[in-house]
């Protein structure tokens, strides 16, 4: 019995450690919610150098670029603190409409279609569309006609996607991030990509070049997106833009951002150098993954116990609720559940959960269903005779459950519970799609920063493996100790 409690304590300590390791990451989170007095929440898709992009400065991952510089000026004029929410470009409009962010600065072109759902400031920058190709195909695309039937990469939800859709027979690959599109081009999955000239400049090297073909679009402009009806902010934004233009600040910001962008990363680092250079990013990621999984497990166990009680209850309606919960949650993908909680709830009810809150909710709601089934199987797996024997010795129902049934049930399902914990750690990587800065997210950031497609993910895999391995070893020991006490 003493041994059992020692290992239980060890396990609990480990779980506690999981929770404790994260607050540091917690505090430096980028997941602020919407307008609270002095905060200005900026929505952007930081894959668009020199407009907005990630850059490691003094070992810390930062979002920089001339859009960000403009945002800082706006915040300064408003006397507000700037909070940046980085997300996929096509998530920006919904985020603005639902109030998750206050404004969008993301090199966004004020198209008529977009103007129907949001308002735009005065334009602050002009650019042109270009086609980039692999250097071997330099002369293959002299005009737009040559691009017909080609495989073309574009950013999801962008005007480049619309341009691509206008090319007859073209097979479009629409992706979230520009860097992914360039990677697709490098790895020959697409033949060409449509991007803006200022942005293309950052990718041109001996492998990627400009094609002669250019889309016959006139110049496009970039403007700042603001929620319809928020005229106060619109006026303030236009005032700041006017000031910046009159001081010729915007050109200066573009130059500075371009210099930062041109300061290229070393692409030939091996996996150890890579890990060492970006260890800070991975550490933050580990903090968030641990926090997500620990709280996901914690609330998952609570939900699981409640649902399990429902399923074993005498009242038909409670049993029905329990069964429905389990069936629905197990029968739908976690990614869909996440989207419903993060976007669905906010757009429909105006409740904006941060990525962390939505992530923890999704993980616990999801694992609750699996844990409920595990608990139920455990309780039902204990021989009926045990209960009868206990009762005939004069134990009450509750006491028999507590002292006779539950300890045996727990022992029997421990391996299954352990598996579920390991699963949660791995599944938590899904939360990265809403911008949760976990291990998976950081691996993508490192990929975007270094243009290495393999090593950043191998490192992530190794980290996940170490975490799950330690956990299952600890669980294994606990199991063996319980088994040993049985044999005595
Ligand atoms: N100007 C284009 C548009 O409005 C592309 C903007 C993409 N911006 C970004 N941050 N990735 O559709």
């Amino acid at each position: 019995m003493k041994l059992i409690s020692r290992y239980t304590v060890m396990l609990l300590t480990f779980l506690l450690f999981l929770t404790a390791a994260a607050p540091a990451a917690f505090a430096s989170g980028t997941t602020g919610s919407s307008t609270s007095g002095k905060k200005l929440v900026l929505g952007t898709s930081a894959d668009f150098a020199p407009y907005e992009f990630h850059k490691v400065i003094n070992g810390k991952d930062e979002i920089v670029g001339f859009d960000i510089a403009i945002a800082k000026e706006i915040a300064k004029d408003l006397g507000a603190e700037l909070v940046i929410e980085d997300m996929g470009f096509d998530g920006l409009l919904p985020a603005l409409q639902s109030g998750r962010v206050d404004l969008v600065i993301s090199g966004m072109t004020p198209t008529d279609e977009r103007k129907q759902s949001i308002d735009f400031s005065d334009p602050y920058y002009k650019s042109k569309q270009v086609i980039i190709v692999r250097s071997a195909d330099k002369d293959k695309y002299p005009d737009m006609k040559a691009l017909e039937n080609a495989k073309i990469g574009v950013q999801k939800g962008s005007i480049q996607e619309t341009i691509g859709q206008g090319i007859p027979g073209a097979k479009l690959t629409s992706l979230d991030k520009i860097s992914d599109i360039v990677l697709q081009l490098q790895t020959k999955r697409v033949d060409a990509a449509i991007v803006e000239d200022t942005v293309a400049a950052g990718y041109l090297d001996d492998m990627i070049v400009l094609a002669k073909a250019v889309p016959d679009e006139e110049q496009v402009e970039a403007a700042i997106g603001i929620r319809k009806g928020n005229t106060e902010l619109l006026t303030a934004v236009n005032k700041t833009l006017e000031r910046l233009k009159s001081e010729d600040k915007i050109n200066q910001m573009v130059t500075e951002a371009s210099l930062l962008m041109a300061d290229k990363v070393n692409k030939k680092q091996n996996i150890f150098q890579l890990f060492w250079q970006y260890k800070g990013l991975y550490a933050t990621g580990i903090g968030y993954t641990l926090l997500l999984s620990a709280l996901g497990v914690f609330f998952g166990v609570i939900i699981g116990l409640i649902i399990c009680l429902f399923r074993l209850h005498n009242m038909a309606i409670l049993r029905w609720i329990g069964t429905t919960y389990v069936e629905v949650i197990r029968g739908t993908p976690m990614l869909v559940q996440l989207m419903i909680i993060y976007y669905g709830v906010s757009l429909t009810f105006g409740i904006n959960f941060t990525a962390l809150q939505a992530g923890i909710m999704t993980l616990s709601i999801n694992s609750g269903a699996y844990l409920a089934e595990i608990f139920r199987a455990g309780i039902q797996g204990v021989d009926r005779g045990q209960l009868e024997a206990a009762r005939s010795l004069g134990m009450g129902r509750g006491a028999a459950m507590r002292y006779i049934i539950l300890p045996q049930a727990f022992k029997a399902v421990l391996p299954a519970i352990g598996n579920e914990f390991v699963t949660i750690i791995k599944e938590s990587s899904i939360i990265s799609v809403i911008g949760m800065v976990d291990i998976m997210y950081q691996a993508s950031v490192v990929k975007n920063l270094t243009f290495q497609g393999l090593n950043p993910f191998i490192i992530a895999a190794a980290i996940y493996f170490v975490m799950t391995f330690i956990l299952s070893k600890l669980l294994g020991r606990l199991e063996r100790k319980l088994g040993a006490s049985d044999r005595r």
Side-chain angles (χ1 to χ4, degrees):
M1 194 57 209
K2 250 187 143 175
L3 270 174
I4 301 176
S5 48
R6 208 171 79 211
Y7 280 95
T8 321
V9 168
M10 256 178 81
L11 196 73
L12 282 176
T13 322
F14 181 66
L15 280 178
L16 255 173
F17 159 77
L18 297 191
T19 344
F26 204 26
S28 69
T30 49
T31 42
S33 57
S34 69
T35 1
S36 71
K38 288 257 161 262
K39 277 205 177 111
L40 182 70
V41 185
L42 165 73
T44 193
S45 171
D47 64 331
F48 210 53
Y51 291 79
E52 48 265 327
F53 54 107
H54 285 264
K55 179 106 204 163
V56 174
I57 296 173
N58 298 329
K60 261 189 71 202
D61 172 43
E62 282 184 32
I63 297 178
V64 293
F66 65 87
D67 275 354
I68 307 299
I70 294 175
K72 283 189 180 147
E73 291 293 324
I74 295 173
K76 197 178 83 192
D77 287 354
L78 287 170
E81 182 202 339
L82 183 69
V83 180
I84 304 176
E85 287 254 15
D86 181 18
M87 57 185 93
F89 187 73
D90 69 334
L92 290 172
L93 283 198
L96 184 57
Q97 284 174 293
S98 69
R100 191 177 287 282
V101 301
D102 300 316
L103 78 174
V104 165
I105 314 185
S106 200
M108 189 179 272
T109 309
T111 61
D112 290 337
E113 204 187 331
R114 287 175 184 155
K115 279 185 192 151
Q116 290 179 0
S117 43
I118 62 169
D119 282 340
F120 280 100
S121 71
D122 300 330
Y124 60 86
Y125 192 74
K126 280 197 175 83
S127 62
K128 284 189 306 232
Q129 312 301 321
V130 294
I131 309 284
I132 54 174
V133 293
R134 285 183 296 275
S135 51
D137 294 345
K138 206 164 152 229
D139 304 312
K140 216 166 143 190
Y141 303 100
D143 48 31
M144 289 309 281
K145 189 110 186 77
L147 279 161
E148 290 178 6
N149 302 317
K151 287 192 233 124
I152 302 176
V154 289
Q155 185 165 38
K156 208 190 279 172
S158 69
I159 55 169
Q160 288 76 27
E161 187 177 40
T162 319
I163 297 173
Q165 282 158 353
I167 303 174
K171 283 174 272 316
L172 289 194
T173 303
S174 303
L175 298 176
D176 261 351
K177 301 270 160 201
I178 302 276
S179 51
D180 287 334
I181 299 167
V182 177
L183 217 52
Q184 294 262 326
L185 184 60
Q186 285 169 337
T187 53
K188 307 198 174 165
R189 293 192 177 89
V190 297
D191 307 316
I194 312 175
V195 281
E196 275 163 39
D197 54 355
T198 331
V199 174
Y203 293 104
L204 301 179
D205 54 16
D206 36 346
M207 254 197 92
I208 303 292
V209 296
L210 287 176
K212 289 214 188 58
V214 260
D216 36 40
E217 276 271 318
E218 341 86 75
Q219 286 198 322
V220 294
E221 295 175 316
I224 298 175
I226 287 153
R227 192 161 37 257
K228 271 211 185 302
N230 196 353
T231 36
E232 205 181 317
L233 184 58
L234 184 62
T235 323
V237 164
N238 279 334
K239 238 177 92 191
T240 303
L241 283 180
E242 204 177 305
R243 172 172 71 79
L244 293 177
K245 283 178 198 162
S246 71
E247 294 168 356
D248 198 32
K249 272 270 179 59
I250 296 190
N251 285 330
Q252 215 174 305
M253 290 168 169
V254 175
T255 317
E256 270 165 31
S258 305
L259 281 176
L260 254 187
M261 166 178 86
D263 168 20
K264 283 246 172 78
V265 283
N266 172 7
K267 292 184 190 172
K268 306 232 159 55
Q269 280 174 321
N270 69 31
I271 190 162
F272 301 106
Q273 294 164 323
L274 195 79
F275 177 67
W276 194 246
Q277 175 166 4
Y278 299 105
K279 57 186 181 313
L281 296 191
Y282 282 109
T284 313
I286 294 173
Y288 273 108
T289 295
L290 291 178
L291 183 69
L292 268 178
S293 333
L295 293 182
V297 165
F298 181 76
F299 292 112
V301 166
I302 296 178
I303 295 178
L305 282 173
I306 295 173
I307 297 297
C308 169
L309 286 180
F310 277 21
R311 294 209 65 178
L312 297 173
H313 207 276
N314 298 333
M315 272 165 71
I317 171 82
L318 289 186
R319 276 204 309 277
W320 182 85
I321 294 177
T323 314
T324 313
Y325 181 91
V326 170
E327 294 300 338
V328 170
I329 298 298
R330 282 199 315 189
T332 51
M334 191 161 94
L335 185 56
V336 178
Q337 294 160 6
L338 178 66
M339 293 295 128
I340 291 177
I341 292 175
Y342 189 67
Y343 290 114
V345 172
S346 80
L347 281 176
T348 322
F349 304 107
I351 310 172
N352 280 334
F353 298 122
T354 62
L356 183 65
Q357 291 164 338
I360 292 170
M361 270 190 259
T362 310
L363 282 173
S364 33
I365 288 175
N366 190 277
S367 68
Y370 291 92
L371 287 167
E373 281 302 273
I374 294 173
F375 294 153
R376 187 178 65 105
I379 292 172
Q380 290 181 333
V382 178
D383 196 304
R384 269 205 74 83
Q386 298 279 334
L387 182 65
E388 283 155 15
R391 296 299 300 269
S392 69
L393 285 174
M395 279 192 181
R397 232 195 127 76
M401 257 296 174
R402 263 232 327 272
Y403 299 113
I404 308 295
I405 309 295
L406 288 183
Q408 300 186 58
F410 177 70
K411 216 180 290 182
V413 299
L414 195 65
I417 297 178
N419 277 341
E420 185 56 30
F421 289 0
V422 167
T423 305
I424 293 179
I425 292 186
K426 292 185 295 174
E427 299 273 272
S428 69
S429 58
I430 289 184
I431 316 296
S432 65
V433 302
I434 56 170
M436 181 77 237
V437 198
D438 69 348
I439 299 172
M440 183 61 202
Y441 181 91
Q442 300 293 54
S444 315
V445 169
V446 173
K447 180 203 70 180
N448 293 342
L449 286 170
T450 59
F451 285 92
Q452 290 204 27
L454 184 62
N455 288 339
F457 295 112
I458 301 265
I459 295 173
I463 296 175
Y464 279 113
F465 177 77
V466 169
M467 282 165 62
T468 55
F469 189 74
I470 294 178
L471 184 61
S472 52
K473 278 283 161 251
L474 279 178
L475 284 161
R477 289 181 86 152
L478 175 61
E479 226 172 273
R480 244 171 302 151
K481 286 302 150 192
L482 290 175
S485 76
D486 233 12
R487 262 173 263 125
R488 246 182 265 138

